[in-house]
Amino acid sequence: MSDPDILATLRDLLPDGTVSTADAAVLGRSIDASGAPAIGAALALVQPRSTEQVAAVVGAANAAGVPVVPQGALTGLAGGANAVPGALLLDLSALNRILHIDVEERLAVVQPGVTVAELAAAASAAGLFYAPDPASAEWATIGGTIATNAGGMRCIKYGVTRDAVRTLEVVLADGSLVRTRPSTIKGVAGLDLTGLIVGSEGTLAVVTEATLSLLPAPGPSRGVSAVFPTLAAGIAASNAIAAGPNVPSTLELLDDIVLGAVDAYLPHAGIPIGAKAWVLAITDSVHGADAELSAFERIFREHGALTVDRADTPIELDRLLTARRLLNQAMRALRGGSLNGDVSVPRSRLLALVERFAALANELHVVIGVGGHAGDGNLHPVVAFDPGDPEQVAAAHEAYQRISGIAQQLGGTMTGEHGVGIEKLAALDGELPPRLREMQRAIKAVLDPNGILNPGKKY
Ligand SMILES: Cc1cc2nc3c(=O)[nH]c(=O)nc-3n(C[C@H](O)[C@H](O)[C@H](O)COP(=O)(O)OP(=O)(O)OC[C@H]3O[C@@H](n4cnc5c(N)ncnc54)[C@H](O)[C@@H]3O)c2cc1C
């Protein structure tokens, strides 16, 4: 089928205003927040308003052999939602209704375009709690966070998005609509197709509805942070907390490069002189929060903390989180450009990981600052560079590629939460042996025999 034919078919199937080929509309939705270039020019932007319309678009695209790129809010950091040549950009953000909050079953049924923050607010209004909390929660959609299996700061206690997904309604590549399993907490009939689709980055199916677990509301968040005279001491303190009996809801780390960048970016952030590592532990326990904070504080002091700060109110906690929130901005401000990594290793390898990054930075004459979710072993190395200097640009990109390899050599992964998309495809060989890649492509071929769903990504 030619381009005009598929467009005519879609215009017959869908209401006016749903399909656009205007450059501004198509280009405006062709890349995500990674800034990675699109693989090619998309054919049209399609903005369905119902599940039936999504099914009609995917069915027509499959019949015509036209690629479909599912899209949420485009906050992805791996190019997963970027345009591919001749594709329909399938923007699901108009499917944005919270269909049901069931207090008795502790679950929510939502359309994919609902944002994480909207669901969190609705759950909270019902006295419940939606645990996944990527830092992009204000914008990121439930569909996008399911497709990337998004993480965030609360995973050490509550797990990742996958842990909250009970069942999915999805449109398969042939346009048919299926529900992956019942909404029960338990259920082992057949293979776990829900788990397969979570994190599949729009390559196996389009999520049109999600049934998500809600939890009892936690207590207020309170925290304690500390700075350390050495990176080793900071990581040892973080690992001691992670291995201890009191599970924090958040356990974050920043290294000295990031602390220096934050200090330069916001001098009144209060970074002490000589700080080589910063660690923050938060509790949201309903009972025993005081004892937990004291235990975290004791561990910090036992590991030689230079200073310890405690936050018992939301305003105080907000202040403690300032440096962590500035990780990317402050690093980018160092030289004007930055590349953000997302590696994950066993916690016992965190020190080796950051030391290897420091050696890499020395070797390539680049700046690499590291921060992130130490409690999950998931860190975000940020390579800072001057975008106007071709040598620095080349060195930064080389560093970015080698960062993935270092994590893999230490028994970890090149992506803990952002996904593969197109940005990390090159590093997949270092992690998945040929047999596993073949198996993954075989699964893709069964679910999407014509290869229309988000081709050129993930595998
Ligand atoms: C400031 C900032 C902070 C961030 N913080 C975090 C963080 O803490 N943790 C984290 O994990 N990530 C984080 N991210 C990355 C990003 O927000 C997540 O990857 C998020 O899950 C993407 O959601 P989205 O709606 O923007 O999806 P998009 O970027 O639009 O799409 C992401 C992927 O999902 C697919 N997709 C989207 N909707 C559907 C659907 N309905 N069905 C099937 N496939 C679909 C797309 O094809 C693509 O592969 C951050 C990003 C930014 C910009």
Side-chain angles (χ1 to χ4, degrees):
M1 199 182 267
S2 70
D3 288 358
D5 289 345
I6 178 74
L7 292 173
T9 305
L10 291 178
R11 286 189 170 120
D12 279 350
L13 288 170
L14 302 170
D16 285 352
T18 316
V19 181
S20 174
T21 53
D23 274 356
V26 175
L27 290 176
R29 295 223 27 123
S30 283
I31 59 169
D32 69 9
S34 68
I39 300 178
L43 175 64
L45 172 64
V46 186
Q47 297 176 299
R49 293 164 206 159
S50 69
T51 300
E52 293 69 30
Q53 290 174 13
V54 175
V57 173
V58 177
N62 189 49
V66 171
V68 173
V69 179
Q71 296 187 330
L74 297 178
T75 66
L77 293 173
N82 284 13
V84 303
L88 305 175
L89 303 177
L90 186 65
D91 172 9
L92 294 143
S93 46
L95 274 73
N96 60 0
R97 280 183 303 135
I98 295 175
L99 300 171
H100 186 46
I101 300 244
D102 188 329
V103 173
E104 200 174 333
E105 296 287 350
R106 280 202 189 134
L107 56 77
V109 183
V110 304
Q111 291 189 308
V114 169
T115 67
V116 174
E118 285 164 350
L119 174 57
S124 172
L128 293 172
F129 177 59
Y130 181 61
D133 73 328
S136 51
E138 285 298 319
W139 316 280
T141 64
I142 292 297
T145 53
I146 288 171
T148 56
N149 192 16
M153 283 208 203
R154 291 199 288 243
C155 302
I156 185 172
K157 182 166 180 182
Y158 298 107
V160 291
T161 299
R162 168 172 284 120
D163 298 297
V165 178
R166 295 252 192 117
T167 177
L168 298 173
E169 177 199 80
V170 297
V171 169
L172 297 172
D174 64 359
S176 56
L177 193 65
V178 297
R179 186 169 294 280
T180 53
R181 62 180 297 282
S183 65
T184 50
I185 294 170
K186 291 182 170 177
V188 289
L191 293 177
D192 179 9
L193 296 181
T194 318
L196 187 62
I197 290 168
V198 176
S200 65
E201 298 183 42
T203 64
L204 297 183
V206 180
V207 176
T208 50
E209 188 185 290
T211 302
L212 302 161
S213 289
L214 302 176
L215 298 172
S221 285
R222 296 160 59 190
V224 54
S225 73
V227 296
F228 296 87
T230 64
L231 179 69
I235 290 180
S238 172
N239 283 348
I241 289 176
N246 303 298
V247 181
S249 56
T250 292
L251 185 56
E252 299 286 311
L253 170 89
L254 298 174
D255 78 352
D256 61 331
I257 305 289
V258 176
L259 293 174
V262 170
D263 195 35
Y265 188 82
L266 190 69
H268 49 271
I271 308 293
I273 292 166
K276 296 287 181 197
W278 171 96
V279 180
L280 169 67
I282 296 179
T283 175
D284 64 359
S285 294
V286 174
H287 304 290
D290 274 327
E292 287 184 359
L293 286 177
S294 299
F296 301 152
E297 189 172 336
R298 192 168 54 250
I299 289 173
F300 287 155
R301 294 196 189 284
E302 282 166 5
H303 286 81
L306 294 172
T307 61
V308 176
D309 268 315
R310 193 154 159 160
D312 286 308
T313 66
I315 291 175
E316 287 168 4
L317 186 59
D318 206 53
R319 183 179 54 77
L320 285 199
L321 278 163
T322 305
R324 170 63 182 90
R325 291 205 184 105
L326 288 174
L327 164 64
N328 292 329
Q329 274 157 276
M331 283 300 296
R332 177 170 287 242
L334 280 182
R335 293 191 173 177
S338 63
L339 292 170
N340 299 357
D342 168 41
V343 294
S344 200
V345 293
R347 286 189 294 246
S348 58
R349 312 313 299 274
L350 280 172
L351 180 60
L353 183 78
V354 185
E355 286 176 347
R356 293 272 304 268
F357 291 156
L360 180 68
N362 273 341
E363 180 192 331
L364 296 178
H365 306 292
V366 294
V367 179
I368 304 178
V370 189
H373 320 300
D376 307 325
N378 177 204
L379 295 181
H380 298 304
V382 184
V383 188
F385 63 95
D386 175 357
D389 177 342
E391 267 182 36
Q392 278 194 36
V393 174
H397 279 91
E398 185 179 345
Y400 182 71
Q401 292 303 333
R402 284 172 60 183
I403 276 170
S404 294
I406 290 172
Q408 290 163 340
Q409 288 151 24
L410 291 171
T413 175
M414 64 195 201
T415 176
E417 56 179 18
H418 294 164
V420 177
I422 50 176
E423 284 266 87
K424 304 221 170 62
L425 266 180
L428 259 187
D429 279 334
E431 193 158 328
L432 294 180
R435 183 82 203 282
L436 289 187
R437 284 191 87 173
E438 272 165 33
M439 281 167 62
Q440 303 208 0
R441 288 179 179 143
I443 291 169
K444 162 82 172 166
V446 167
L447 284 169
D448 179 16
N450 296 332
I452 62 151
L453 290 177
N454 219 2
K457 320 260 178 79
K458 184 74 175 170
Y459 305 98

